Amino acid sequence: MSDGDEEPEESADAPAPDVDVETLQERLDDAVDALESAETEAGLDDVEAILDAVESDLEAADLPEPEEEDEEAPAEALESWLSELREDLEAQRGPYAEDVVAAVEDAQSTLESTRWTEQGEQALQTAVSTYLDDAGEALDETFVGGEVADPEALAEELDEVVDAVDAAALDPDENAETIEALTEATDALTAGVEDAQEWDDLSVRQKLRAEGYYEVMGQKRKDFPPEWTALKQWEQRENVEMILLCLEHMGDTEFMERHCLEALKRVASPEALDEIGQRAARRNTLAVEIVGRIGSEDGIEHVVDFVDAEGNPDLRTTALKSLGEIGSEDTTQDVANQLVADNESVRSRAARSLGLIGDTRAIEPLTDVLADDDSDTVRASAAWALVQIGTERALEAAAEYADDRAYIVEQEAEKAADALDADAAEAAA
């Protein structure tokens, strides 16, 4: 019960007192006047408080709905005006010292993470040197730097300005002129960094020219495009770095990619293995072949998974050939597993690769193939492989087929028999 002195409670659904469209408009008009006259951060804080109060009352108010369908609701109009005033308020704030620091740090990040041309590096040096002078004048300090064109070193030189701005503890009202001068200088630094020439700004030919790719051509411009002429010259010099450079910049064209890869196949340098391995991983058959030509055991990981690539016998046979050329006994089992593949070409290539590897553990499965395979081509490959392994046991296994029904098998068996006779004659001598 009430004792008679308490104020009656307002209904939860009742609108806030004195909150109608006209009142809210007047309060926003007052906020506009206050914003125009605000000259300090404190004054702007007062304007923000006015806007917060209007927003709160606007949310609680039960304003009328528009009479016409196409007419804007009063609440929506007020909300739009309120939003615009908040944007104007934020635009009028600052600048702040922390904004200067953030912009300098952004410039540092760009300096360090971007690849620049020589011309771009010179422009960066000028931009940083000018900024150090202007920032030093604003802070009444001396910053020494800007004497080198190395972007990472230039980024480190800007640390002095960041440290000095942090240490100055600049107040947005009391030190407004200093902050404004720093902001103007930092804007110029940002523009200078943005305008400096990046490597990605260059065309493909500009990049190749900058790397000295065309220097090898002289007056030789026989082929088109000219990059092909230069590629041939670099191949003759076995300059893998330049071949890879051409592949990097022009490898997205089928014509130049093929010629670059063919050049790398002929040079067959381990220097190209990483790049070729990446292309092999994309099931590029020519790249898989090049891995074998290079012959490094480091290349095994790039091709071994393709020996059982279902549905692609060409890729499988190329991978098997590459493993044979690499010649590591670590892959003997992977290759031998393909002696029972459904595809005849795959079985034949597996047998020949085992011969190139030369692992005596392959003698027994090769002997089985020679005896049982339905394809004479595969059997001939098995006989050839046994001859390549060349141990007495391997030669004896092949020599048994000197009178084979298939001429191609018989030829390999006769080679095995001749080798055994030669070994016997040498032993008897």
Side-chain angles (χ1 to χ4, degrees):
M1 296 178 60
S2 171
D3 58 8
D5 295 327
E6 296 178 1
E7 293 290 334
E9 293 185 5
E10 294 183 357
S11 168
D13 297 327
D18 299 326
V19 176
D20 53 31
V21 173
E22 184 176 351
T23 301
L24 291 171
Q25 288 175 334
E26 290 175 356
R27 291 166 66 184
L28 288 177
D29 279 330
D30 291 342
V32 171
D33 294 338
L35 185 58
E36 289 177 354
S37 61
E39 296 180 353
T40 65
E41 288 295 314
L44 294 173
D45 289 341
D46 291 340
V47 175
E48 186 171 18
I50 295 174
L51 298 180
D52 288 343
V54 171
E55 182 175 14
S56 178
D57 289 346
L58 178 58
E59 290 176 352
D62 185 13
L63 300 181
E65 294 295 326
E67 296 180 1
E68 302 292 336
E69 288 186 6
D70 58 348
E71 184 180 350
E72 184 178 21
E76 292 179 0
L78 290 167
E79 287 171 358
S80 178
W81 189 6
L82 180 63
S83 178
E84 291 175 5
L85 287 175
R86 286 197 183 279
E87 291 177 2
D88 293 342
L89 172 64
E90 290 305 315
Q92 197 165 320
R93 285 192 181 278
Y96 304 108
E98 51 264 37
D99 295 333
V100 172
V101 170
V104 174
E105 290 176 343
D106 285 344
Q108 288 177 301
S109 177
T110 303
L111 284 167
E112 293 172 335
S113 63
T114 304
R115 184 179 180 185
W116 306 95
T117 65
E118 184 176 348
Q119 177 183 338
E121 289 180 352
Q122 296 298 326
L124 292 173
Q125 180 185 2
T126 300
V128 171
S129 179
T130 301
Y131 180 68
L132 293 176
D133 291 340
D134 292 344
E137 182 177 350
L139 293 167
D140 196 21
E141 295 199 25
T142 301
F143 301 117
V144 179
E147 299 177 358
V148 294
D150 176 63
E152 292 188 4
L154 293 172
E156 291 180 3
E157 290 169 2
L158 292 173
D159 283 335
E160 291 187 63
V161 177
V162 171
D163 293 341
V165 172
D166 285 337
L170 300 173
D171 182 86
D173 290 329
E174 296 178 5
N175 307 112
E177 290 186 5
T178 300
I179 296 175
E180 187 172 344
L182 285 171
T183 299
E184 183 177 344
T186 306
D187 287 344
L189 170 66
T190 299
V193 172
E194 289 177 349
D195 292 341
Q197 190 178 64
E198 300 180 22
W199 185 253
D200 289 343
D201 293 336
L202 301 180
S203 68
V204 168
R205 286 187 173 169
Q206 286 175 322
K207 291 176 182 178
L208 289 172
R209 188 173 293 109
E211 297 276 15
Y213 180 77
Y214 299 104
E215 293 175 2
V216 73
M217 290 175 58
Q219 298 302 313
K220 298 180 180 180
R221 297 182 179 271
K222 174 181 176 182
D223 301 304
F224 184 84
E227 291 78 21
W228 189 16
T229 298
L231 178 66
K232 292 178 179 180
Q233 297 300 312
W234 290 123
E235 181 189 337
Q236 289 181 11
R237 301 185 185 196
E238 297 188 351
N239 191 315
V240 177
E241 181 180 356
M242 284 300 181
I243 299 174
L244 289 173
L245 180 68
C246 184
L247 183 61
E248 175 189 351
H249 292 304
M250 302 198 72
D252 57 346
T253 65
E254 184 178 348
F255 178 83
M256 285 306 298
E257 179 190 39
R258 177 168 56 84
H259 284 294
C260 287
L261 291 178
E262 290 287 355
L264 290 172
K265 182 174 75 171
R266 289 186 284 268
V267 175
S269 169
E271 187 180 348
L273 186 57
D274 286 345
E275 174 61 29
I276 293 302
Q278 292 177 31
R279 291 178 180 269
R282 300 196 288 270
R283 303 169 77 89
N284 184 305
T285 303
L286 180 53
V288 172
E289 182 181 355
I290 296 171
V291 172
R293 289 293 183 92
I294 292 173
S296 169
E297 291 193 4
D298 291 337
I300 293 173
E301 63 177 304
H302 299 304
V303 300
V304 68
D305 290 341
F306 297 133
V307 297
D308 59 356
E310 292 296 333
N312 194 335
D314 186 43
L315 179 61
R316 295 174 71 180
T317 55
T318 304
L320 286 166
K321 181 181 178 183
S322 289
L323 291 179
E325 291 175 333
I326 292 172
S328 172
E329 292 187 359
D330 290 342
T331 63
T332 297
Q333 189 62 58
D334 293 294
V335 176
N337 289 342
Q338 301 308 309
L339 291 174
V340 295
D342 292 336
N343 185 279
E344 176 182 327
S345 297
V346 172
R347 298 199 305 275
S348 180
R349 176 49 63 187
R352 288 185 173 272
S353 292
L354 288 172
L356 293 174
I357 293 171
D359 190 341
T360 56
R361 291 177 298 169
I363 295 174
E364 184 175 345
L366 287 169
T367 301
D368 292 341
V369 169
L370 184 54
D372 302 328
D373 202 280
D374 294 335
S375 167
D376 289 337
T377 300
V378 177
R379 294 176 63 239
S381 294
W384 180 90
L386 290 167
V387 173
Q388 300 307 305
I389 293 173
T391 64
E392 183 177 1
R393 183 160 66 96
L395 294 172
E396 288 175 348
E400 290 182 10
Y401 295 85
D403 294 325
D404 194 78
R405 66 180 186 276
Y407 176 70
I408 55 177
V409 175
E410 185 179 62
Q411 279 188 309
E412 298 301 333
E414 287 176 354
K415 293 176 184 177
D418 291 343
L420 285 171
D421 290 343
D423 289 344
E426 184 178 348

